[in-house]
Amino acid sequence: MARLALLSVSDKTGLVEFARQLVTEFDFALMSSGGTAKALQEADLPVTKVSDYTEFPEILGGRVKTLHPRIHGGILGRRDVAEDVEQMVAHQILPIDLVVVNLYPFAETIAKPDVTLSEAIENIDIGGPAMLRASAKNFAHLTVLCNPSQYDTYLEQLRQHEHHPSLEFRQSCAIEAFSHTGDYDRAITSYLSQTQETSSTSSSTQEDFVLSGKQLQSLRYGENPHQSATWYQTGTSPTGWTAATKLQGKELSYNNLVDLEAARRIITEFTDLPAAAVLKHTNPCGVALGGTLFEAYEKALQADPVSAFGGIVALNHPIDMSTAGALTQTFLECVVAPECEPDAKEILAKKSKLRVLLLPDLQQGPKQTVKAIAGGLLVQASDDVVDNPDDWQIVTDKQPTTDQLEELLFAWKVCKHVKSNAIVVTRDRATLGIGAGQMNRVGAVKIALEQAGEKATGGILASDGFFPFDDSVRTAADAGISAIVQPGGSLRDKDSIQAANELGLVMVLTGRRHFLH
């Protein structure tokens, strides 16, 4: 009797070629459901429909297709247990030797910006995970494949082991299947939890937090050469940096990826005008807007050209020829942009070691941040709130001009992505000085103003946290700063406001802080 392969896949990559090999080289009989059966029939391959074999139609709009004793009996039946064999014969259940299943594209569905809850629910696979788990449980007697990348390896196993894949291979496939269904269930849990949390009628919290990932790449080392590091993909399909296109350059390092994520977060603040951000060790050393991408990059670079050496650049518009030329004039580790013009690619190619990545959807990022501590994990919602100047409070006698308000917003957006204590000085939509990660706010102010120098005159100063004393306000005024934006909330806010009024400064309180630790 020919061996039986059950194929039921959403991702049909390589399916027809694989099925043809099973039939022609290894004499498999094929059984399939729904769209998979149709694809095989259209390729002139002999296939039995699941509904014909079970003598039960697909029902409930396709929700029930493979959930039948003749299917699961053929998967779970133990060939070396006499009672199992007798029952399979009695109920006319054929033993299934190969199960090929991948699941409805739930992750891809919920990634759509306009997805509805009902659409997401209809893309929750039920029969697929049931078959995968049953097949993985019975790996001693059959093989389960859940990824098209496994097809060639399986065929090679058949050739090497007299048409019977090794037990070690079958067990490794079972592990991958359980991992696949686990990731799938976690994606569903996460999505439904987020949906519930946004409902006005729910105040529930998630009691269990599970973090998992599939190994994507072993990295050369971690933050330092003596630290090992691995890059894992979360979710059932590539998203974010795992879905980015690397045009050129060396392999990405641990530090590259950490810096790139920081660059992605800051560049997403700017969606309209061309913007450029230059980062070093996750802190921006230059951020600017411009009439063109070239202008934005040049302004960002000139903010701190010394620190930019060996840095990371993020751009919010496609790289054009002039910007590409400018990028090649400085030693950079990585550049990321949504796209790159063909002529620009040729220019960048001259710097073959420069890592250039294309990430069309720069906005898509994690909804939570996770940090490991001894004995546990800290999980928090990402700081992706959109600040609205209409909600700010102008607390000084002097009122900001329209241009100053726009500049204050620009400085505030940048400050949000600087390690606390953070101070940012800007003018003309470009950073002039940045004080990052200082133990006291006065120190951060002095660093930012010293870096800005004479250019600080008429500029804006942003602080990620409140001023506990008025000394920073007076230092800013001495340097020529014209307006300050800060969250407020100090018991001594009145002292800072009084100093600003005395010195003729504008001060705006946002009512929200943006610490970054």
Side-chain angles (χ1 to χ4, degrees):
M1 181 179 66
R3 284 171 295 170
L4 180 59
L6 173 59
L7 298 87
S8 181
V9 296
S10 174
D11 179 1
K12 296 177 176 57
T13 302
L15 173 71
V16 171
E17 295 81 358
F18 177 60
R20 183 169 285 112
Q21 286 290 102
L22 291 176
V23 172
T24 58
E25 185 174 353
F26 300 104
D27 196 30
F28 268 86
L30 307 179
M31 183 189 302
S32 295
S33 62
T36 306
K38 182 180 179 182
L40 296 176
Q41 288 173 334
E42 290 176 349
D44 294 325
L45 287 168
V47 58
T48 299
K49 289 186 176 181
V50 167
S51 57
D52 292 337
Y53 169 64
T54 60
E55 298 181 344
F56 198 94
E58 295 182 10
I59 61 172
L60 307 182
R63 283 187 167 199
V64 177
K65 290 182 278 194
T66 57
L67 297 171
H68 194 280
R70 293 192 77 187
I71 296 297
H72 286 272
I75 293 173
L76 287 164
R78 293 162 291 186
R79 281 60 155 175
D80 57 356
V81 175
E83 187 177 358
D84 283 11
V85 174
E86 290 172 4
Q87 290 180 3
M88 291 172 71
V89 171
H91 295 287
Q92 297 181 311
I93 295 173
L94 297 176
I96 298 173
D97 299 278
L98 172 66
V99 174
V100 182
V101 172
N102 55 59
L103 307 177
Y104 293 171
F106 182 80
E108 294 87 343
T109 299
I110 61 174
K112 299 175 183 177
D114 56 349
V115 66
T116 62
L117 177 60
S118 60
E119 183 182 0
I121 287 174
E122 287 310 310
N123 275 275
I124 297 176
D125 204 325
I126 301 300
M131 287 189 291
L132 285 177
R133 290 178 59 82
S135 305
K137 175 177 180 175
N138 205 28
F139 71 85
H141 300 283
L142 76 159
T143 307
V144 57
L145 306 179
C146 60
N147 193 315
S149 65
Q150 299 172 305
Y151 295 169
D152 288 342
T153 308
Y154 176 76
L155 294 173
E156 193 58 35
Q157 280 281 316
L158 292 178
R159 297 183 186 106
Q160 291 179 1
H161 299 282
E162 299 181 355
H163 297 192
H164 294 283
S166 68
L167 179 62
E168 181 182 11
F169 174 77
R170 299 198 302 272
Q171 185 168 350
S172 70
C173 291
I175 292 170
E176 185 161 351
F178 279 125
S179 176
H180 186 53
T181 57
D183 288 343
Y184 195 77
D185 287 343
R186 277 185 285 275
I188 296 168
T189 301
S190 176
Y191 172 77
L192 292 179
S193 297
Q194 291 170 17
T195 303
Q196 188 178 40
E197 286 166 8
T198 57
S199 169
S200 59
T201 60
S202 173
S203 59
S204 65
T205 57
Q206 190 173 332
E207 293 185 3
D208 297 316
F209 182 84
V210 180
L211 189 65
S212 70
K214 180 179 180 181
Q215 182 173 331
L216 186 70
Q217 181 181 337
S218 293
L219 301 173
R220 188 178 175 189
Y221 52 79
E223 286 181 298
N224 300 290
H226 61 273
Q227 295 174 267
S228 60
T230 306
W231 183 5
Y232 290 90
Q233 172 188 311
T234 57
T236 57
S237 60
T239 58
W241 294 109
T242 63
T245 300
K246 185 159 78 75
L247 286 184
Q248 64 176 63
K250 299 185 291 185
E251 287 297 318
L252 292 168
S253 70
Y254 177 94
N255 289 336
N256 289 158
L257 288 161
V258 172
D259 283 333
L260 281 166
E261 176 59 14
R264 184 200 63 78
R265 288 197 300 268
I266 191 169
I267 206 66
T268 59
E269 296 284 351
F270 310 104
T271 57
D272 298 325
L273 288 174
V278 184
L279 283 86
K280 198 74 169 290
H281 307 305
T282 73
N283 275 310
C285 47
V287 182
L289 304 181
T292 65
L293 194 65
F294 172 78
E295 180 189 355
Y297 172 66
E298 285 290 292
K299 288 168 66 177
L301 179 66
Q302 291 309 310
D304 189 355
V306 174
S307 297
F309 184 84
I312 304 287
V313 172
L315 307 166
N316 69 342
H317 282 205
I319 304 172
D320 53 30
M321 290 180 64
S322 58
T323 307
L327 290 167
T328 61
Q329 300 305 306
T330 301
F331 170 64
L332 300 169
E333 287 282 349
C334 305
V335 175
V336 61
E339 191 47 78
C340 184
E341 296 177 0
D343 291 339
K345 292 179 183 179
E346 294 182 12
I347 295 172
L348 293 169
K350 296 174 183 177
K351 287 275 189 175
S352 60
K353 294 183 179 180
L354 172 63
R355 303 166 179 89
V356 179
L357 293 97
L358 302 183
L359 189 60
D361 188 1
L362 289 163
Q363 297 289 331
Q364 186 180 20
K367 297 297 183 184
Q368 298 165 314
T369 61
V370 182
K371 290 189 178 182
I373 60 172
L377 299 170
L378 299 178
V379 183
Q380 67 171 349
S382 295
D383 187 6
D384 54 6
V385 65
V386 178
D387 290 287
N388 186 353
D390 292 340
D391 299 328
W392 294 355
Q393 184 182 6
I394 302 168
V395 293
T396 49
D397 297 334
K398 191 170 185 178
Q399 300 292 297
T401 65
T402 300
D403 186 70
Q404 280 181 320
L405 267 178
E406 292 179 1
E407 190 74 38
L408 287 163
L409 179 59
F410 171 77
W412 185 242
K413 285 181 175 182
V414 175
C415 198
K416 175 181 176 181
H417 298 277
V418 179
K419 289 292 181 67
S420 188
N421 285 319
I423 297 291
V424 173
V425 176
T426 78
R427 196 179 67 194
D428 299 327
R429 314 306 186 266
T431 58
L432 301 175
I434 296 174
Q438 298 306 300
M439 286 64 72
N440 66 77
R441 198 157 297 279
V442 176
V445 169
K446 290 180 177 178
I447 290 172
L449 290 173
E450 181 180 351
Q451 188 182 64
E454 294 181 359
K455 294 179 181 178
T457 302
I460 299 296
L461 185 145
S463 172
D464 68 337
F466 61 65
F467 293 127
F469 305 101
D470 67 359
D471 49 3
S472 292
V473 177
R474 297 185 182 279
T475 301
D478 289 342
I481 291 296
S482 65
I484 293 174
V485 58
Q486 55 126 331
S490 170
L491 294 175
R492 301 173 68 101
D493 274 348
K494 65 180 186 300
D495 294 343
S496 294
I497 296 169
Q498 181 178 333
N501 279 327
E502 175 190 328
L503 298 165
L505 273 64
V506 171
M507 181 174 286
V508 174
L509 304 186
T510 67
R512 176 183 287 120
R513 78 178 192 197
H514 285 298
F515 279 177
L516 179 61
H517 285 86

